[in-house]
Amino acid sequence: MGPKYSILFKCILLSTGLCKICSAQNDLSVSVFTVTSKSMTVQWSGVSGASSYKVTATPKSSPETPVFAQFSKNTAMGSVSSLSPNTVYIMRVEAMDNSINVLSSAETEETTAPEVPSIQQAYSKQSNSITVEFGEVSGATGYVLRAQSDDEEFFAETSVRGSPGTVLNLQPYTTYTISLMSVNRGGRSQPSLPVTTKTVVVAPALNTTSPSNDTIVVTWEPVQHAVLYSLCIIKEGSDTRVKLNTTNTSVTLSNLEAGTTYCIKGTALDPAGRVGDDLTMCQITRPPIPVEIHVTLSPTRTIGMAVSWGMVRGADYYVASTSIGHNCTSNVELYCTISTLNCSQIHYVTVIASNQAGPSGPSSPQEFLTFPCPPEEIWVEEPNPGNCSVRWTNVTFADFYIAYVKRDDGSEQQCNTTSTVCYFSCPCGYTFFSSVFSYNQAGPSTPGAVLKYTTVPCCPEDVSVSLISTETLEINWTPVRGAELYETIASDRSEVILCNDTEPVCALSDLTCDRQYSVVVRSCSEISGCNVSCRAHNQETAPCAPEILNITQKALSHYTIQWSAANTQANYTVSVAGQVDTRTCQSRGTFCEVPDLPCGTSYEVSAYATTAAGRSLPSYSVPLETQPCCPQNLTVEQITQSMTQVTWSAATGAWSYITSLTSAKGYAKCHAVDTYCIMGCITCGTNYTVNLEAISRTGHKQECSYHGFSSSACCPSSVRLYRNTDNKLRVFWRSSSNPNNYVADIYGSGSNYTCSPPMGSSSCDVSEITCGDVYTVVVAPLSQDGSKIKFCPRRMYSVSCSGNNLGMVIYRGKRSID
């Protein structure tokens, strides 16, 4: 074994060893380093003062005598031999001094490897593996197969569970030394006696081709170390085998069946006669040449041919080809269609069958003549009115022609001729459709161009002209033969309007209103033009639409509407349309009046004119909006001494409101889109006039007046609280300019007091006041209904006690109403 494999072996032993470390007395520790079938190596840590170490191996469950070995103080690893395979041992290490006293000891437990197995035989059946049969040993949980090449360039170990075992990934025709080791949880046994075995050679890499439908050529590259090659040939569906030995690297198999698959298995033999790997290749021979070829016209009557043939054994697909390069392919069916042919051609058709080996030879060619082309040019001549002829150019491979001339009433004329002209009758007023077919033994040509020829049309009859809208005339007439297009002309003194259509109806729009037009309908065809001798018809257009010029309000709900008039004789009708009702007025002049329009209503105003010819278009609509209505209800409520809230009901047609309160002392105004408004700067004790202005979205206004409003009496000023000499409290105030009745309220934490002086007085007294409390004093005038004004200010006073009497009265400030 080379030095690099010795190092690898030691590393494997080190990695697979079980490293159990036991607790020791003092600081000694021990672990198992390696295990074999009959020995165990341990290593330990050094102990200070030790002069030697003793290693003892004691069977754990066996009466065998313990085995020991002793080592110097400088040793940290030692082995114990003569152990039994597959046995659990307690390994004890003792550190001793010079007096052979044990300074420290430690133990660990481990199992020896199983017995060394023996190889019964080793052989190679594949070029990359060797199979080993061996006798299994007691206690082994597995085995390791070791393979090494003679040149020591290859070394491998393979774990197996039992016999037989196989070593893989080997090189072909290479000698390997095989050894075997048994394995348990303790480790590996020593290797068995080695055996030497050589792998077999590889199989030849066969390449097969079929150059013809009865041969297969097999070739391969030379196999190293092979002295003979063996081929076994089996035909698909047969049990017969043909064996062939050769030293060459190619073989031609002949006299085979066409379209048949043959499987060839190849092996190589080494100089010892050992058979190596085998490789099987299957090859099909080329198919036979197709027979029973039939060529017919394509069943779809397109320009093409249908090619059919008899079934060919071993064919995967077929190709039918023509002599000028057209082809078609079929995978399953025994026919295909070549649809890209041209008319007036001769083709020679062959069929080839193919499979993966290649194509067969071509079948015998079949001749096929396509049907002729239709004439390239066709035209109609009319030398005399009513006498026509259809003519065409000559066609290659055409035997004769049939010309068809069909009239638009369904009648048909035809002629069969070998020349290139056919005569037919063509009276005026008809359209003729001419077509010509060429014929040969393959059949008729495809349809060629259809020539349309029209004789001069007649004038339309039963012409009727009617006014269908203000400036549009509808003209109807009876269709006439030969007319492809009708031209309608409407003219007056200054303009001409044209209408072209293929139907016997025409609408002339965008005419001038209130005009007399002369209308003529002409029948036309593309070739002969229009008939200019048709009779004219007269028709008047509807009157012109008026234009509303002005809308004037004569009174509160009375309006005058004015418009322009551009018609000579017309009656005018004006429509005033609202969401609820519609009013109308009529006049032969240029204005009319509409009375009694309700407030807060929007209208659309339009007008139209009427004459004997009909009614005009309506004029553009002009909006008319009457003044908004006044709110039905309005109330004024005072909130504070200087603020009021005015509330009213919604008014029809109103979008915003301006409310005002006016008096000799001033006024207040508010502009709002809601139905209420809060206004300040109100003077107390004042009579106000209430007005409201309703405004529409477009700015129309309506002035509204309501009952007056009187503000509440003014709150008194200079409210004071005094102590009288008779142990009473006096409330004093300064009255407003108007005399009023007042009520004074005194609120304490324990009791409340009220006094009401006679009208004109400005003070009142309150007795039996409890001292030592803080009092709130409010003096308010009474309204006309006797209720107190609730928004007068409050003043706070503290009243102290002087013995059992009232003491000092101190002003503490004032606050607004709660």
Side-chain angles (χ1 to χ4, degrees):
M1 181 183 297
K4 61 179 180 179
Y5 291 112
S6 298
I7 295 173
L8 176 61
F9 176 62
K10 290 179 181 180
C11 292
I12 294 172
L13 291 177
L14 177 61
S15 64
T16 57
L18 178 64
C19 299
K20 297 183 178 177
I21 302 175
C22 302
S23 299
Q25 299 174 8
N26 300 331
D27 56 355
L28 181 65
S29 62
V30 62
S31 62
V32 175
F33 183 68
T34 60
V35 173
T36 67
S37 301
K38 295 186 178 184
S39 67
M40 197 174 296
T41 301
V42 296
Q43 58 183 2
W44 59 85
S45 60
V47 177
S48 178
S51 60
S52 64
Y53 295 93
K54 181 181 180 181
V55 179
T56 305
T58 304
K60 183 176 182 180
S61 302
S62 172
E64 294 181 12
T65 303
V67 179
F68 70 91
Q70 199 152 351
F71 303 93
S72 67
K73 65 178 181 179
N74 297 323
T75 306
M77 181 182 294
S79 300
V80 179
S81 304
S82 302
L83 304 182
S84 298
N86 197 37
T87 303
V88 179
Y89 283 90
I90 298 174
M91 303 300 293
R92 181 180 180 83
V93 178
E94 296 172 317
M96 295 179 290
D97 59 11
N98 291 328
S99 302
I100 318 179
N101 295 319
V102 177
L103 299 177
S104 178
S105 64
E107 291 180 353
T108 185
E109 183 179 301
E110 188 53 272
T111 304
T112 54
E115 292 182 357
V116 178
S118 60
I119 296 175
Q120 295 172 350
Q121 64 171 337
Y123 52 86
S124 172
K125 289 189 175 181
Q126 299 291 332
S127 61
N128 64 343
S129 66
I130 293 176
T131 300
V132 181
E133 295 180 2
F134 54 86
E136 298 182 359
V137 296
S138 176
T141 59
Y143 300 87
V144 175
L145 286 171
R146 180 178 294 167
Q148 184 174 359
S149 61
D150 285 349
D151 58 5
E152 297 186 355
E153 291 296 325
F154 177 84
F155 178 85
E157 289 186 344
T158 304
S159 297
V160 297
R161 298 184 62 86
S163 178
T166 302
V167 181
L168 300 174
N169 301 320
L170 304 180
Q171 295 297 318
Y173 201 72
T174 303
T175 301
Y176 291 91
T177 299
I178 308 297
S179 59
L180 177 67
M181 293 172 285
S182 59
V183 181
N184 66 5
R185 71 182 185 87
R188 298 178 177 184
S189 70
Q190 291 88 346
S192 66
L193 294 175
V195 297
T196 300
T197 303
K198 179 180 286 186
T199 52
V200 298
V201 295
V202 297
L206 304 181
N207 293 313
T208 59
T209 58
S210 176
S212 64
N213 59 14
D214 64 346
T215 59
I216 292 176
V217 176
V218 186
T219 61
W220 60 91
E221 292 295 325
V223 176
Q224 192 175 10
H225 305 297
V227 297
L228 184 67
Y229 303 98
S230 179
L231 301 180
C232 180
I233 301 95
I234 305 173
K235 185 177 73 171
E236 184 180 41
S238 172
D239 294 333
T240 303
R241 288 170 168 77
V242 177
K243 291 188 177 181
L244 176 64
N245 294 331
T246 181
T247 56
N248 297 324
T249 57
S250 65
V251 171
T252 298
L253 306 178
S254 57
N255 298 322
L256 304 180
E257 294 184 12
T260 303
T261 299
Y262 292 86
C263 291
I264 301 101
K265 181 173 74 172
T267 57
L269 285 74
D270 61 15
R274 296 185 307 160
V275 178
D277 295 342
D278 62 78
L279 176 66
T280 300
M281 292 290 292
C282 292
Q283 174 68 50
I284 190 171
T285 55
R286 296 194 183 194
I289 296 174
V291 294
E292 301 179 11
I293 310 301
H294 299 283
V295 183
T296 59
L297 284 174
S298 170
T300 59
R301 283 294 291 127
T302 58
I303 304 179
M305 69 178 79
V307 185
S308 62
W309 53 85
M311 178 176 288
V312 177
R313 183 179 60 193
D316 293 335
Y317 64 95
Y318 304 88
V319 178
S321 304
T322 71
S323 55
I324 59 175
H326 299 291
N327 59 68
C328 63
T329 303
S330 174
N331 294 329
V332 179
E333 293 83 1
L334 300 179
Y335 66 90
C336 65
T337 301
I338 300 176
S339 57
T340 58
L341 304 180
N342 293 322
C343 53
S344 295
Q345 289 181 334
I346 294 179
H347 295 267
Y348 296 94
V349 183
T350 58
V351 178
I352 295 174
S354 297
N355 60 18
Q356 62 185 19
S360 69
S363 66
S364 299
Q366 300 292 317
E367 182 181 300
F368 178 76
L369 174 64
T370 61
F371 46 80
C373 299
E376 291 184 1
E377 294 183 34
I378 179 174
W379 65 94
V380 173
E381 295 179 356
E382 187 179 7
N384 298 311
N387 296 318
C388 297
S389 63
V390 57
R391 298 174 181 270
W392 57 90
T393 57
N394 193 39
V395 177
T396 305
F397 296 119
D399 296 333
F400 62 95
Y401 306 91
I402 296 180
Y404 298 90
V405 180
K406 188 171 184 178
R407 206 165 62 183
D408 56 7
D409 63 354
S411 63
E412 187 177 60
Q413 304 175 58
Q414 73 176 57
C415 63
N416 189 329
T417 180
T418 57
S419 66
T420 58
V421 61
C422 181
Y423 298 96
F424 65 97
S425 137
C426 54
C428 66
Y430 286 97
T431 297
F432 299 88
F433 301 91
S434 303
S435 59
V436 180
F437 289 85
S438 307
Y439 286 80
N440 64 14
Q441 61 184 8
S445 67
T446 56
V450 176
L451 181 65
K452 181 180 179 182
Y453 181 79
T454 304
T455 54
V456 178
C458 301
C459 286
E461 298 179 357
D462 301 327
V463 177
S464 66
V465 182
S466 58
L467 184 69
I468 60 173
S469 70
T470 55
E471 297 165 2
T472 301
L473 297 179
E474 182 181 74
I475 301 97
N476 293 272
W477 59 89
T478 302
V480 294
R481 287 191 304 268
E484 297 174 349
L485 181 72
Y486 297 95
E487 181 181 77
T488 306
I489 303 173
S491 61
D492 69 347
R493 297 181 302 273
S494 60
E495 65 177 340
V496 176
I497 305 298
L498 296 177
C499 170
N500 294 331
D501 207 328
T502 57
E503 297 297 322
V505 61
C506 181
L508 296 176
S509 56
D510 197 28
L511 302 179
T512 303
C513 56
D514 199 40
R515 290 282 185 90
Q516 185 80 19
Y517 282 91
S518 173
V519 180
V520 178
V521 180
R522 299 172 179 173
S523 58
C524 306
S525 69
E526 183 178 355
I527 298 176
S528 55
C530 299
N531 193 326
V532 296
S533 61
C534 300
R535 186 171 58 91
H537 303 268
N538 295 324
Q539 177 63 47
E540 182 182 357
T541 55
C544 299
E547 179 184 2
I548 295 177
L549 301 177
N550 193 21
I551 299 176
T552 306
Q553 184 177 4
K554 294 185 64 177
L556 183 63
S557 60
H558 197 104
Y559 293 84
T560 299
I561 301 168
Q562 258 185 314
W563 60 86
S564 64
N567 301 300
T568 54
Q569 295 289 332
N571 291 323
Y572 296 91
T573 301
V574 177
S575 172
V576 182
Q579 293 182 347
V580 178
D581 64 338
T582 299
R583 312 289 180 89
T584 59
C585 64
Q586 294 181 340
S587 172
R588 294 185 64 85
T590 58
F591 71 93
C592 68
E593 295 183 355
V594 182
D596 301 327
L597 295 181
C599 63
T601 306
S602 295
Y603 292 93
E604 293 290 334
V605 180
S606 62
Y608 61 88
T610 306
T611 65
R615 197 169 82 173
S616 73
L617 291 172
S619 67
Y620 294 120
S621 295
V622 176
L624 168 62
E625 184 180 73
T626 60
Q627 291 178 322
C629 300
C630 288
Q632 295 294 322
N633 301 308
L634 183 141
T635 59
V636 183
E637 179 184 2
Q638 189 162 1
I639 300 174
T640 67
Q641 184 169 294
S642 62
M643 290 176 60
T644 61
Q645 176 170 303
V646 183
T647 305
W648 57 88
S649 59
T652 303
W655 181 69
S656 65
Y657 307 88
I658 296 178
T659 309
S660 61
L661 301 179
T662 307
S663 70
K665 297 180 180 180
Y667 72 95
K669 182 180 289 186
C670 174
H671 194 171
V673 296
D674 299 315
T675 56
Y676 66 90
C677 190
I678 295 176
M679 291 191 290
C681 302
I682 301 302
T683 304
C684 56
T686 304
N687 293 327
Y688 285 90
T689 300
V690 180
N691 292 308
L692 182 143
E693 188 175 30
I695 306 172
S696 71
R697 287 182 180 271
T698 57
H700 286 73
K701 298 180 180 179
Q702 178 74 284
E703 299 287 342
C704 309
S705 298
Y706 297 90
H707 293 295
F709 163 72
S710 297
S711 61
S712 64
C714 299
C715 293
S717 61
S718 302
V719 176
R720 300 287 187 272
L721 183 65
Y722 303 98
R723 179 177 60 82
N724 283 345
T725 56
D726 54 357
N727 209 34
K728 294 181 181 180
L729 291 179
R730 170 165 292 181
V731 182
F732 174 81
W733 62 86
R734 182 175 297 164
S735 301
S736 59
S737 58
N738 295 327
N740 289 289
N741 289 330
Y742 294 91
V743 174
D745 293 315
I746 304 172
Y747 304 100
S749 61
S751 58
N752 300 328
Y753 306 93
T754 301
C755 66
S756 299
M759 181 179 291
S761 298
S762 58
S763 65
C764 65
D765 296 334
V766 181
S767 59
E768 299 180 359
I769 292 294
T770 303
C771 62
D773 198 356
V774 176
Y775 290 95
T776 301
V777 179
V778 180
V779 179
L782 297 178
S783 61
Q784 294 181 357
D785 59 0
S787 61
K788 288 188 294 183
I789 303 302
K790 298 180 180 180
F791 39 74
C792 290
R794 302 182 178 193
R795 294 176 178 268
M796 298 176 63
Y797 293 87
S798 61
V799 181
S800 63
C801 295
S802 177
N804 292 329
N805 297 323
L806 299 176
M808 296 181 65
V809 177
I810 301 173
Y811 175 60
R812 300 291 294 274
K814 63 181 178 179
R815 61 179 182 174
S816 61
I817 188 170
D818 290 337

